[in-house]
Amino acid sequence: TTRRRGPRRTSARPPGRAKRTAMREHEFTIELPHAPARLWALFQPYDLRPEYASAVLAVEIVHPGDAAGNGLVRRVEYPLPFGRRGESFELVTNVRPSEGYDYVMLRSGLSGSLVLEHPGPDRTRLRFRERFHMTTPVLRWFEGPIYRFINRKNEASMRGASAWLDAHPEFHPELREGR
């Protein structure tokens, strides 16, 4: 089951500014036939991400953070429309192993979260949410199309993680439940 909400525009009023700006929010929910612990194990070796995530070209760990991954800083290269590439430095926080994490892009302020819920054996309800606002006036003209492109890539990446696990039953078989 897939539920998509977004992109949705919400009003945000930054402190000290009277002018209202539009904030985009995208939420994506999908049920996957894998245990949260197995998905979490796939998400941790960042070098595997380009194999299953079409939203990721490369990931480099700039700072590992603590033992749980709180404070981790990653440099992510991602595709943009027309063959362009983007780059972001992301700070990972509120890490809850096998349950999720939050992140913020350090340059743009985009924030997001990934939540893994456990509705039953070998089932995960994955919730992905991002909030974003382009502040560069020229880029605002292209904000909608760029954001829709990125949303589609992110959603495909979540489906790709599930397909990758289906194709690699040898990957952490001990984390399967009820089989």
Side-chain angles (χ1 to χ4, degrees):
T1 311
T2 302
R3 273 193 4 229
R4 180 185 313 165
R5 192 177 80 205
R8 183 177 71 187
R9 291 178 154 265
T10 58
S11 293
R13 188 172 295 193
R17 293 185 68 185
K19 185 177 179 181
R20 291 168 53 124
T21 59
M23 177 75 67
R24 289 191 181 266
E25 183 176 274
H26 177 72
E27 185 175 314
F28 175 68
T29 302
I30 186 170
E31 295 235 357
L32 302 172
H34 304 285
R38 193 158 179 250
L39 279 163
W40 186 259
L42 176 61
F43 294 159
Q44 297 319 299
Y46 284 94
D47 58 325
L48 283 178
R49 289 215 178 173
E51 289 187 33
Y52 65 83
S54 61
V56 175
L57 299 172
V59 180
E60 173 191 352
I61 302 304
V62 177
H63 177 72
D66 67 14
N70 283 298
L72 180 140
V73 177
R74 58 191 182 198
R75 185 182 69 78
V76 180
E77 288 182 42
Y78 52 90
L80 290 171
F82 310 114
R84 309 234 1 163
R85 287 177 169 237
E87 174 188 73
S88 65
F89 286 85
E90 300 174 358
L91 172 65
V92 178
T93 61
N94 300 318
V95 176
R96 299 160 316 279
S98 298
E99 294 178 13
Y101 61 88
D102 299 327
Y103 63 94
V104 64
M105 288 186 179
L106 299 175
R107 290 182 186 157
S108 69
L110 177 146
S111 62
S113 64
L114 177 95
V115 175
L116 304 175
E117 298 173 355
H118 193 227
D122 279 323
R123 305 286 315 156
T124 298
R125 183 175 302 115
L126 185 150
R127 295 183 189 276
F128 179 78
R129 178 181 295 172
E130 282 189 334
R131 293 179 59 116
F132 184 72
H133 178 64
M134 285 189 183
T135 55
T136 307
V138 173
L139 290 179
R140 283 176 147 171
W141 294 340
F142 304 104
E143 182 178 25
I146 290 171
Y147 200 67
R148 283 189 294 278
F149 177 87
I150 292 170
N151 290 342
R152 284 192 302 273
K153 289 289 190 180
N154 283 335
E155 292 174 10
S157 293
M158 302 309 157
R159 289 186 190 95
S162 182
W164 193 94
L165 287 174
D166 288 339
H168 295 87
E170 74 284 358
F171 184 82
H172 285 289
E174 75 281 4
L175 297 176
R176 293 181 184 199
E177 305 168 338
R179 291 189 188 188

